[in-house]
């Protein structure tokens, strides 16, 4: 009996129509380091993202010799940005500072910058609450089938996708792209501060030459 093997696929997703958001970090080398392989997710606060608010959060934590934060202090432009930074820290592992060969208590700090696409007239894909990354269909992956698929959806006032259509391409990748964008949640477009229907455009580049350890987004 052959057991299914899931191979991570390279799926480059371009979130067009007002879906660009970013969080950047500025390092302050004070000893401890965030473990690059075991750290939490920096979540863009939904209330701030819905209003397309930008902001920053500066966090400073005491890191124990065992590599976990024991106390954190945060200053931010909005309280939700502070909570996002603290959530990342408290759900992360750290590489402690060393004196000689012994780990010691130290400090770690970062400044996170939150930036959302400012166009209120177009919906935003709610990446925070996606159940998973785009899944490369096994049959397409094994057969080396790739392609660039564009999807257009109508997003209603409560952030639900309707009437999604896909560009030309392999049928199996069309269906996978429609499933990804059609089953997602969105922040609706705004007009005079109120949610209104809007159109969303998204793209997925399905690349069959992906590295075996690729996790999806790049």
């Amino acid at each position: 009996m052959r057991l299914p093997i899931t191979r991570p696929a390279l799926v480059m997703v371009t979130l067009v129509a007002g879906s660009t958001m970013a969080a950047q970090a500025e390092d302050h080398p004070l000893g401890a380091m965030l473990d690059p392989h075991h750290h939490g997710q920096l979540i863009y606060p939904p209330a701030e993202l819905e209003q397309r608010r930008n902001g920053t959060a500066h966090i400073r934590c005491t890191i124990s010799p065992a590599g976990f934060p024991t106390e954190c202090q945060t200053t931010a432009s909005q309280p939700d940005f502070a909570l996002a930074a603290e959530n990342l820290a408290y759900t992360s592992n750290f590489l402690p500072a060393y004196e000689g060969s012994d780990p010691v208590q130290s400090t770690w700090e970062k400044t996170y910058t939150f930036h959302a696409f400012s166009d209120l007239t177009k919906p935003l894909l709610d990446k925070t609450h996606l159940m998973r990354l785009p899944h490369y269909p096994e049959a397409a992956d094994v057969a080396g089938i790739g392609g660039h698929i564009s999807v257009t959806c109508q997003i209603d006032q409560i952030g639900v996708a309707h009437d999604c259509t896909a560009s030309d391409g392999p049928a199996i990748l069309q269906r996978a792209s429609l499933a990804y964008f059609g089953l997602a949640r969105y922040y609706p477009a705004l007009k005079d501060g109120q949610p209104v229907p809007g159109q969303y455009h998204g793209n997925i580049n399905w690349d069959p030459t992906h590295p075996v350890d690729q996790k999806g987004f790049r």
Side-chain angles (χ1 to χ4, degrees), residues 3 13 31 33 66 93-94 110 122 143 148 151 156 158 181 183 194 197 202:
L3 297 176
V13 178
M33 296 176 57
N93 293 337
F94 290 81
K110 276 186 181 286
K122 297 177 181 178
H148 181 89
V151 173
D156 65 20
I158 63 172
F181 290 111
L183 300 178
Q194 299 299 316

Side-chain angles (χ1 to χ4, degrees), residues 46-126:
E48 311 304 333
L49 184 57
E50 183 179 24
Q51 297 299 321
R52 283 40 164 202
R53 292 195 189 100
N54 301 327
T56 60
H58 181 81
I59 184 168
R60 179 184 176 94
C61 297
T62 299
I63 307 300
S64 74
F68 58 84
T70 59
E71 181 181 3
C72 294
Q73 297 179 333
T74 312
T75 57
S77 56
Q78 295 288 339
D80 285 347
F81 292 137
L83 290 175
E86 291 170 11
N87 178 71
L88 181 146
Y90 285 123
T91 57
S92 296
N93 293 337
F94 290 81
L95 305 177
Y98 277 78
E99 287 186 0
S101 59
D102 298 320
V104 296
Q105 178 174 293
S106 60
T107 57
W108 165 86
E109 61 181 309
K110 276 186 181 286
T111 298
Y112 289 100
T113 300
F114 299 84
H115 180 74
F117 193 86
S118 60
D119 188 351
L120 301 179
T121 66
K122 297 177 181 178
L124 284 175
L125 180 66
D126 183 1

Side-chain angles (χ1 to χ4, degrees), residues 2-10 132-139 141-142 210-216:
R2 181 178 179 269
L3 297 176
I5 299 175
T6 301
R7 291 198 298 144
L10 169 57
R132 57 177 174 80
L133 300 177
H135 176 72
Y136 212 126
E138 187 70 17
D141 192 14
V142 171
H210 61 84
V212 295
D213 63 344
Q214 180 57 247
K215 296 301 183 182

Side-chain angles (χ1 to χ4, degrees), residues 7-59:
R7 291 198 298 144
L10 169 57
V11 180
M12 296 185 67
V13 178
T14 305
L15 307 178
V16 188
S19 63
T20 302
M21 59 182 180
Q24 299 175 338
E26 177 185 348
D27 282 313
H28 297 264
L30 295 177
M33 296 176 57
L34 192 69
D35 187 334
H37 303 292
H38 302 92
H39 61 78
Q41 180 184 6
L42 182 63
I43 298 173
Y44 207 119
E48 311 304 333
L49 184 57
E50 183 179 24
Q51 297 299 321
R52 283 40 164 202
R53 292 195 189 100
N54 301 327
T56 60
H58 181 81
I59 184 168

